């Protein structure tokens, strides 16, 4: 793809309003903290501004609405999120503590995303994980992640510029997920790959993947380069509040053939996140209700548009009081096959 092609792509005007952060989706699991960060003293997290105090009690994880040192009349002050008990449903999986946001009666652990490249009952090494913040709605973070072409313009130094011979996008979705695959032929090798990883080839064929879970914001990112190493990533994208998104991330280093890359690539996390923040933060106020300016799109926005439409379907169902998960969830492709990773769980 050349820049010229992108600019001359026929823009499609979207008449429907897009107001991220306007409706809170319920009944979802959120991986709010790494298990290694939780000891006997409580850590505090929020999901859609709802407080979660998390600690270990006799080896078991507890997620409470209240700090244990607070003098609270639970019967009077506990909310419907804990059915008046003060304690949320909580599960330890994939090295994270998952808490439920919604009706506790519906908190089925089977609804936790299948993360094939992470072991279900073990943490990844500490160097492979971290946390970043984005000052915008989590919907904008997800839209940004689903636009894999932003990588060329925002993260070009790490993953190569937009120059390539061919660039194809395909999108799959269910009522709960959106998957995007981008296949690029002869994409320019990046500065990072050339100068840090020592890749000699000037161009590479690349297949890049994004898989997002609409309710929770959890996403998987991966890419296969014909010469450079890579490894998959899980990122949490939790809406701590309307305009603050916490992104806990963890890589699966065992998927990379390059030992130095396993150690050095996770260190770029804060730099990559800062590049995203530089576009997301200014973008955020533009979607506050102030008029009917339509967005323009190209074929590279197909995944983002699918996300908006699937999100709208979920919002409409929840507005009608339907918080259930539909059976089509199970009909999506095996994500281990899509990402081309070894299944560990
Ligand atoms: Fe990005």
């Amino acid at each position: 793809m050349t820049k010229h092609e992108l600019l001359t792509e026929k823009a499609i005007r979207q008449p429907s309003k897009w107001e991220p952060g306007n409706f809170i989706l319920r009944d979802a699991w959120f991986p709010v903290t790494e298990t290694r960060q939780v000891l006997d003293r409580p850590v505090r997290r929020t999901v859609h501004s709802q407080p979660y105090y998390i600690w270990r009690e006799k080896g078991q994880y507890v997620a409470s609405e209240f700090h244990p040192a607070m003098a609270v009349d639970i019967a009077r002050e506990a909310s419907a999120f804990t059915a008046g008990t003060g304690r949320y449903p909580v599960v330890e999986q994939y090295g994270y503590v998952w808490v439920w946001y919604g009706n506790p009666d519906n908190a089925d652990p089977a609804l936790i995303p299948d993360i094939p490249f992470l072991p279900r009952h073990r943490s990844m090494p500490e160097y492979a994980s971290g946390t970043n913040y984005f000052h915008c709605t989590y919907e904008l973070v997800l839209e940004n992640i689903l636009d894999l072409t932003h990588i060329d313009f925002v993260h070009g130094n790490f993953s190569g510029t937009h120059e390539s011979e061919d660039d194809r996008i395909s999108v799959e979705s269910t009522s709960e997920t959106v998957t995007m695959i981008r296949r690029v032929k002869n994409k320019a090798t990046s500065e990072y790959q050339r100068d840090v990883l020592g890749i000699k080839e000037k161009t590479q064929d690349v297949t890049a993947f994004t898989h997002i879970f609409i309710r929770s914001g959890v996403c998987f990112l991966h890419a296969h380069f014909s010469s450079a190493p890579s490894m998959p990533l899980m990122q949490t994208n939790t809406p701590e509040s309307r305009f603050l998104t916490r992104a806990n991330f963890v890589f699966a280093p065992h998927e990379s053939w390059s030992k130095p890359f396993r150690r050095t690539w996770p260190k770029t996390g804060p730099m990559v996140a800062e590049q995203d923040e530089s576009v997301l933060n200014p973008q955020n106020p533009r979607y506050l209700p102030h008029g009917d300016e339509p967005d323009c799109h190209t074929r590279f926005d197909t995944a983002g548009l699918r996300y908006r439409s699937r999100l709208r379907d979920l919002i409409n169902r929840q507005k009608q009081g339907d918080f259930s998960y539909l059976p089509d969830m199970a009909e999506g492709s095996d994500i281990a096959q899509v990402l081309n990773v070894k299944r560990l769980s």
Side-chain angles (χ1 to χ4, degrees):
M1 180 192 72
T2 65
K3 198 172 182 181
H4 176 72
E5 273 174 346
L6 179 66
L7 293 173
T8 54
E9 189 78 35
K10 191 170 175 247
I12 306 158
R13 295 213 164 247
Q14 276 300 104
S16 54
K17 268 192 168 183
W18 168 235
E19 292 177 5
N22 228 8
F23 185 88
I24 294 176
L25 291 171
R26 284 172 37 183
D27 283 15
W29 289 104
F30 290 86
V32 287
T33 177
E34 286 182 77
T35 52
R36 64 164 62 88
Q37 291 175 339
V38 181
L39 299 169
D40 296 341
R41 289 180 61 183
V43 297
R44 185 178 184 273
R45 297 284 183 270
T46 56
V47 178
H48 294 300
S49 300
Q50 181 73 16
Y52 290 74
Y53 294 91
I54 300 156
W55 69 92
R56 285 194 216 201
E57 208 171 78
K58 295 177 188 152
Q60 300 293 313
Y61 290 95
V62 174
S64 170
E65 285 188 72
F66 310 105
H67 191 286
M70 287 162 74
V72 176
D73 181 348
I74 299 277
R76 286 167 61 98
E77 296 181 46
S79 74
F81 285 95
T82 59
T85 67
R87 294 202 168 182
Y88 301 97
V90 59
V91 171
E92 174 196 5
Q93 209 152 284
Y94 302 118
Y96 283 83
V97 178
W98 298 72
V99 296
W100 181 256
Y101 178 90
N103 180 349
D105 291 343
N106 300 333
D108 180 355
L111 296 171
I112 289 177
D114 168 32
I115 313 180
F117 52 85
L118 294 181
R120 201 176 289 266
H121 300 297
R122 186 165 55 80
S123 293
M124 285 288 102
E126 200 163 2
Y127 69 79
S129 64
T131 299
N132 294 305
Y133 273 99
F134 301 111
H135 294 80
C136 64
T137 62
Y138 84 131
E139 291 96 329
L140 284 188
V141 175
L142 293 176
E143 235 193 0
N144 175 60
I145 287 167
L146 283 168
D147 169 19
L148 280 172
T149 56
H150 90 272
I151 290 168
D152 304 348
F153 302 98
V154 181
H155 312 297
N157 61 323
F158 290 114
S159 58
T161 65
H162 62 273
E163 288 164 32
S164 68
E165 198 181 300
D166 191 36
D167 198 331
R168 288 167 200 275
I169 301 288
S170 61
V171 180
E172 279 184 33
S173 64
T174 70
S175 51
E176 297 290 338
T177 59
V178 181
T179 313
M180 178 190 191
I181 303 177
R182 179 186 181 199
R183 293 181 181 84
V184 192
K185 253 185 126 45
N186 285 331
K187 183 175 167 61
T189 292
S190 73
E191 282 169 38
Y192 181 85
Q193 291 166 332
R194 187 190 63 214
D195 299 342
V196 180
L197 304 177
I199 302 299
K200 300 270 186 289
E201 288 79 358
K202 290 222 164 2
T203 64
Q204 302 177 69
D205 294 342
V206 188
T207 308
F209 312 85
T210 308
H211 183 67
I212 65 125
F213 294 81
I214 300 168
R215 292 196 206 205
S216 66
V218 169
C219 80
F220 309 153
L221 292 160
H222 196 18
H224 292 285
F225 294 86
S226 52
S227 306
S230 61
M231 55 191 178
L233 159 75
M234 187 278 282
Q235 187 166 292
T236 64
N237 308 311
T238 302
E240 286 208 324
S241 63
R242 188 174 176 191
F243 297 138
L244 186 62
T245 301
R246 181 186 174 106
N248 299 322
F249 65 87
V250 59
F251 288 92
H254 53 271
E255 277 287 333
S256 171
W257 50 262
S258 165
K259 280 194 175 171
F261 179 76
R262 291 179 195 178
R263 287 271 176 179
T264 54
W265 184 239
K267 289 189 173 67
T268 65
M271 291 177 265
V272 174
E274 196 181 336
Q275 291 172 332
D276 283 314
E277 170 81 349
S278 75
V279 293
L280 287 170
N281 192 1
Q283 202 182 358
N284 195 59
R286 291 184 201 144
Y287 288 99
L288 293 175
H290 58 73
D292 288 319
E293 293 163 36
D295 277 356
C296 293
H297 303 282
T298 75
R299 71 183 169 96
F300 294 102
D301 297 310
T302 307
L305 293 174
R306 184 77 62 85
Y307 166 63
R308 290 186 184 188
S309 133
R310 291 292 195 175
L311 174 62
R312 213 159 17 234
D313 293 345
L314 260 175
I315 290 172
N316 287 337
R317 279 179 51 221
Q318 295 211 351
K319 277 183 176 169
Q320 309 291 322
D322 177 5
F323 301 97
S324 68
Y325 284 72
L326 299 178
D328 78 314
M329 261 177 78
E331 291 160 15
S333 306
D334 177 0
I335 199 64
Q337 275 185 11
V338 173
L339 298 174
N340 192 10
V341 294
K342 193 171 146 213
R343 178 171 279 285
L344 294 184
S345 57

